[in-house]
Amino acid sequence: MADVSVDIRNVVKSHGAITAVDHLSLEVRKGEFFSILGPSGSGKTTTLRLLAGFEHPDQGDILIEGRSMRLVPPNHRPVNLVFQNYALFPHLTVFGNISFGLEMRRVPRAELRSRVETVLDMVRLTSKQDRLPAQLSGGEQQRVALARALVNHPSVLLLDEPLGALDQQLRQDMQVELKAIQEQVGITFICVTHHQEEALTMSDRVAIMNHGRLLQVGSPQEIYETPASSFVANFIGVSNTLVGHIRSLNGSCCGVMVPGLPKAQAIVARPPAGAGVGSPVTLLLRPERLHLSREVSLPGFDNALEARISKAIYNGSEMQYLLSLADGISWKARVPNAGGGQKRFLPGEAVFVRWTVDEGVVLPE
Amino acid sequence: MSRRRTWLLAASLGNLLFLYAPVAVLIVFSFNASRLSATWQGFTLQWYRVLAEDEALLAAVQNSLLVGLASTVIATVLGVCAAVALERCPFRGQRVVEGVLLLPLVIPEVMLGVALMLFFVSIQLPLSLVTVTIGHAAFNVPIVVVIVRARLRKLDPALEEAARDLGASAWQAFRCVTLPLLMPAILGATLLAFTISLDDFIVTFFTAGPGATTLPLKVYSMVKSTVTPEINALSAILVLVSMALVGASLVLQRKPVRA
């Protein structure tokens, strides 16, 4: 396939007794912003190091631009890595850091200068090219690290927790900037992060890993709205869950019986593929998709549950409610602060939680 | 000032006095006009003048500098290689090698001197400045290893990886990134090694052959007859040079890893 940039084929990598990467297969397309998301110990960093050439697969192969990377050392790979803590050379200036790769490749002096100046301009550091890394702010160091990699025109740019060391405000600005730079240069970006918002904001596609295994690959929207497992659902944002089994099947709808809820209240949901009557299932609901109201009857929703507000948290842009349902189940709901304030609920108040059949995601257990 | 601080100050001053009073007396009497060093007879620089004209002494100085330079270069190259290997390439039996490598720091110097002499004799290498140089290099290698390794441990291994990632071969990464960052420690170790070589008596005594007289050996042979003010002047110079070198070495080692 011509548009595949990185092709990871059934790669296994163990560190002693721990399998860091477990039969991983993954294709990343040319010019894509691809994120690998997972908790620490999920194998995402090992995957990145395998791509950079600092580690070698025990089994399987990695192809970059159609070429096998077996036995290719890091300095001969068409990739560059932006290190987690930047790993800027403390004894070289900003210019010296950025030109390092070009000097190693013996790029002629004039071309070297113009290429370094181009990227300095792109990351807005032209005025600071003679500073040492220690004289730069965290955000500036981050941009030097990015420029130092981009100046080599790699086929693939690898980023290891690129925004991890920045504070919240800078992190959000850099998310936008990083995405803009990626679109400008058109290089494939593979970004490893444990920060779900970062991955969703910047990426064209996201891969979720845990315990060395690939759990799901898809667009941010697919990952968020149709998670393939409850691990994915809970790792990407918060999910409310109900565990039960299918009581009735009726074409595209099923009734889910949840122990602890009143018998009459079967939940209407979309059945997962291949499920039959009696199959155990988990129902997932995003907190912002729940509709809270005091009205006993309200048209337009397929499901309604009684709940009591146990906590109301004011959070600026939204209200967060902790709800306690029957049988000790506790949920979260988020309601945007649209203004007016008439729809606030108070702790202790009894409310109805409603949602439509399409808002719930049902996973087989 | 509290009582506690007064006591601390007194103890520190007492300590300094104990350590440096003899040295201070030595330096002061190197300017004494009297031939008999015990009494002060007025200021003079004549002993320094005598020193500058003593041919045998100058030859000893030359030998010392030669041995110091050569042994330091050998010890630095070997020591840096060993430090990098121990720190960056873990191998089987590393602990044993580490222990053996640092042994010259703890075994009595007399033993080291005798052992070296026996070794040179058994391989039929005639005792000369060459054997002295080898002997000095032997006890200076562990000093270089300890100092360079301490700095290497503070360097982020990601820096070398970054260099590799940017197209550097393993050697280029070492030369362009690791080596410049280790430089303060290497220079510090070099100065210390040079100082120790310059001052060494015991190992030199056992490994030096006829004609291979270094400065400490020369001083010893001069003292055997009489202690002249000339010796005082020589010692004063040695003390000052050693202190300057060690001071420079400490300053270099203190230089932070991150610029």
Side-chain angles (χ1 to χ4, degrees):
Chain A
M1 272 216 298
D3 68 337
V4 173
S5 176
V6 174
D7 187 358
I8 300 174
R9 292 187 179 167
N10 209 22
V11 163
V12 179
K13 176 69 191 176
S14 302
H15 296 140
I18 300 154
T19 308
V21 174
D22 192 0
H23 294 93
L24 177 70
S25 291
L26 199 59
E27 280 185 0
V28 180
R29 298 173 197 137
K30 267 192 186 131
E32 187 171 40
F33 198 126
F34 191 90
S35 287
I36 302 176
L37 184 61
S40 53
S42 60
K44 58 190 195 307
T45 300
T46 304
T47 306
L48 205 68
R49 292 177 62 80
L50 287 165
L51 289 171
F54 299 131
E55 294 185 39
H56 299 280
D58 299 334
Q59 280 177 48
D61 197 8
I62 294 170
L63 281 77
I64 298 176
E65 303 288 307
R67 201 156 67 91
S68 167
M69 288 294 120
R70 191 175 290 138
L71 301 176
V72 178
N75 47 328
H76 291 140
R77 295 193 177 203
V79 302
N80 282 116
L81 173 58
V82 177
F83 286 75
Q84 182 165 11
N85 294 315
Y86 318 139
L88 298 179
F89 305 129
H91 59 304
L92 299 178
T93 61
V94 169
F95 191 98
N97 265 281
I98 297 176
S99 65
F100 189 92
L102 300 178
E103 272 164 24
M104 290 300 126
R105 294 191 167 90
R106 302 190 184 288
V107 170
R109 209 68 218 167
E111 188 194 337
L112 177 143
R113 179 149 278 283
S114 83
R115 273 168 74 172
V116 172
E117 276 164 3
T118 307
V119 290
L120 273 170
D121 187 49
M122 183 160 52
V123 297
R124 295 177 282 110
L125 283 172
T126 306
S127 63
K128 301 197 166 161
Q129 55 175 297
D130 296 322
R131 301 265 183 100
L132 288 171
Q135 298 167 299
L136 301 177
S137 71
E140 287 166 345
Q141 289 182 8
Q142 211 278 336
R143 300 210 299 269
V144 175
L146 187 64
R148 183 177 73 172
L150 281 176
V151 75
N152 304 296
H153 301 325
S155 302
V156 182
L157 187 79
L158 308 171
L159 303 109
D160 189 3
E161 304 275 0
L163 310 179
L166 304 179
D167 59 44
Q168 182 63 22
Q169 184 58 47
L170 203 54
R171 177 189 280 265
Q172 283 174 351
D173 294 345
M174 280 305 293
Q175 282 175 12
V176 177
E177 189 165 337
L178 208 53
K179 180 67 185 156
I181 286 174
Q182 192 262 337
E183 279 164 6
Q184 188 185 340
V185 296
I187 293 173
T188 310
F189 275 37
I190 299 181
C191 173
V192 152
T193 178
H194 68 275
H195 202 271
Q196 47 108 352
E197 182 209 317
E198 207 167 285
L200 296 184
T201 312
M202 301 190 293
S203 315
D204 298 312
R205 286 196 306 150
V206 179
I208 313 284
M209 284 182 78
N210 195 29
H211 298 310
R213 289 177 170 276
L214 182 65
L215 299 181
Q216 191 174 2
V217 185
S219 69
Q221 193 178 345
E222 282 166 1
I223 298 272
Y224 188 79
E225 295 188 2
T226 54
S229 65
S230 46
F231 176 85
V232 173
N234 282 307
F235 193 70
I236 308 280
V238 181
S239 280
N240 297 309
T241 54
L242 283 177
V243 179
H245 60 268
I246 296 180
R247 189 169 69 176
S248 60
L249 254 175
N250 174 20
S252 62
C253 284
C254 65
V256 177
M257 190 59 215
V258 178
L261 292 182
K263 274 228 156 36
Q265 270 187 321
I267 309 276
V268 186
R270 299 284 180 219
V277 172
S279 303
V281 289
T282 303
L283 177 77
L284 303 170
L285 281 162
R286 293 293 183 190
E288 69 277 12
R289 297 296 173 85
L290 297 175
H291 182 271
L292 301 186
S293 69
R294 298 187 178 100
E295 285 85 24
V296 178
S297 68
L298 201 64
F301 294 97
D302 302 298
N303 294 294
L305 288 176
E306 282 178 48
R308 190 167 292 280
I309 306 274
S310 58
K311 214 168 200 175
I313 300 160
Y314 177 77
N315 167 4
S317 60
E318 63 181 22
M319 287 297 296
Q320 287 186 8
Y321 294 108
L322 296 185
L323 306 168
S324 63
L325 279 71
D327 202 31
I329 301 167
S330 95
W331 275 12
K332 279 184 187 151
R334 289 195 199 143
V335 181
N337 276 331
Q342 72 276 27
K343 278 192 70 180
R344 296 271 169 82
F345 302 99
L346 299 170
E349 208 174 330
V351 291
F352 287 93
V353 184
R354 291 187 170 87
W355 70 94
T356 66
V357 63
D358 287 317
E359 248 130 30
V361 175
V362 181
L363 299 170
E365 268 295 281
Chain B
M1 210 191 310
S2 71
R3 267 179 80 88
R4 204 181 131 90
R5 278 198 61 176
T6 320
W7 272 108
L8 273 175
L9 205 67
S12 311
L13 283 175
N15 233 324
L16 283 176
L17 207 66
F18 175 69
L19 285 173
Y20 290 105
V23 177
V25 168
L26 178 112
I27 293 173
V28 167
F29 276 87
S30 72
F31 299 108
N32 191 0
S34 162
R35 220 184 203 292
L36 303 160
S37 351
T39 48
W40 182 259
Q41 301 260 309
F43 182 85
T44 178
L45 285 174
Q46 68 160 312
W47 307 120
Y48 289 88
R49 218 168 297 128
V50 171
L51 213 57
E53 284 157 9
D54 188 335
E55 300 260 329
L57 195 69
L58 289 179
V61 169
Q62 202 182 354
N63 283 344
S64 270
L65 292 176
L66 210 62
V67 168
L69 235 68
S71 70
T72 299
V73 169
I74 296 170
T76 305
V77 172
L78 292 180
V80 170
C81 291
V84 171
L86 286 175
E87 196 57 35
R88 288 292 148 87
C89 327
F91 53 89
R92 269 174 91 87
Q94 172 160 1
R95 301 295 290 262
V96 179
V97 173
E98 275 178 43
V100 171
L101 207 58
L102 300 186
L103 216 52
L105 288 181
V106 289
I107 57 173
E109 221 188 322
V110 177
M111 308 262 297
L112 189 66
V114 172
L116 281 165
M117 181 184 68
L118 290 176
F119 174 72
F120 291 137
V121 169
S122 73
I123 63 167
Q124 294 180 338
L125 189 64
L127 297 181
S128 63
L129 281 185
V130 174
T131 50
V132 175
T133 304
I134 296 173
H136 285 197
F139 65 67
N140 273 333
V141 165
I143 289 166
V144 176
V145 170
V146 168
I147 294 176
V148 171
R149 207 174 161 199
R151 173 125 180 144
L152 203 52
R153 200 168 292 163
K154 283 191 220 151
L155 282 189
D156 185 357
L159 289 175
E160 235 167 285
E161 287 184 346
R164 296 300 310 276
D165 182 71
L166 291 167
S169 64
W171 167 246
Q172 282 174 315
F174 179 74
R175 190 172 54 85
C176 301
V177 175
T178 311
L179 202 56
L181 292 171
L182 285 182
M183 230 4 143
I186 294 176
L187 285 178
T190 303
L191 290 180
L192 196 62
F194 184 71
T195 312
I196 294 173
S197 164
L198 211 57
D199 294 347
D200 181 76
F201 177 79
I202 301 172
V203 167
T204 318
F205 180 78
F206 285 105
T207 53
T213 307
T214 64
L215 198 53
L217 292 187
K218 178 73 187 162
V219 170
Y220 179 67
S221 69
M222 283 161 83
V223 170
K224 267 201 288 197
S225 43
T226 46
V227 182
T228 65
E230 196 187 343
I231 300 283
N232 282 359
L234 179 60
S235 306
I237 292 174
L238 270 182
V239 165
L240 292 180
V241 168
S242 299
M243 280 170 79
L245 287 174
V246 172
S249 164
L250 288 177
V251 168
L252 281 166
Q253 286 175 60
R254 254 213 328 246
K255 212 174 162 205
V257 173
R258 296 198 160 270

